[in-house]
Amino acid sequence: MTTNRPAAVLALAQGRSNHQAATDAGVSTRTVLRWREDEQFLQDIAEARTQLLRLAVGRLAAGAVKAVDTLVDALDTERGQARVQAAKVLLDATLALRESLDLEERLTALEAERRDR
């Protein structure tokens, strides 16, 4: 077996167990637990998780444009209940996106503050 610490980082960033991360990295679970005591290793996991989330958000954003177009078209072409549902979905999505953007801005500010210390 070869030691592949980045494989463990990726597995843990994806929410996999210590045992699964150990298997991916070719090490024992005890080794992964020891690595988890290292601040740099934990930071690497956090950074990998952030990258994964950015990729997911990018894919969602690409699909969101099509979804919004569909909802907007439904507002004009559908009748009654379908129009109300389309409007509700659109408003809910707008509010959720706003909350996400607010959280992202707060997190960025906190990370910058932490780096400056």
Side-chain angles (χ1 to χ4, degrees):
M1 280 188 193
T2 62
T3 301
N4 189 353
R5 194 167 158 145
V9 167
L10 181 59
L12 293 168
Q14 292 172 331
R16 299 181 70 206
S17 71
N18 291 326
H19 176 74
Q20 291 166 324
T23 299
D24 288 357
V27 297
S28 70
T29 302
R30 175 176 264 166
T31 297
V32 171
L33 292 172
R34 190 176 65 249
W35 286 346
R36 289 188 76 131
E37 294 173 6
D38 175 22
E39 186 62 34
Q40 183 61 54
F41 186 73
L42 296 176
Q43 186 177 349
D44 291 346
I45 293 168
E47 289 173 5
R49 186 171 292 133
T50 298
Q51 278 298 94
L52 290 169
L53 288 172
R54 284 185 178 139
L55 289 170
V57 168
R59 292 196 63 198
L60 286 172
V65 172
K66 289 181 182 178
V68 169
D69 287 345
T70 300
L71 289 171
V72 171
D73 288 345
L75 290 172
D76 293 332
T77 60
E78 298 295 329
R79 292 207 230 156
Q81 187 66 24
R83 288 181 65 191
V84 170
Q85 185 62 29
K88 182 181 181 324
V89 169
L90 190 58
L91 290 172
D92 288 346
T94 301
L95 293 174
L97 180 58
R98 179 64 192 167
E99 288 175 8
S100 293
L101 291 173
D102 286 346
L103 288 173
E104 178 66 26
E105 289 172 0
R106 287 179 180 174
L107 183 59
T108 300
L110 287 172
E111 288 172 344
E113 182 181 318
R114 183 177 178 205
R115 277 193 305 271
D116 292 342
R117 288 185 188 180

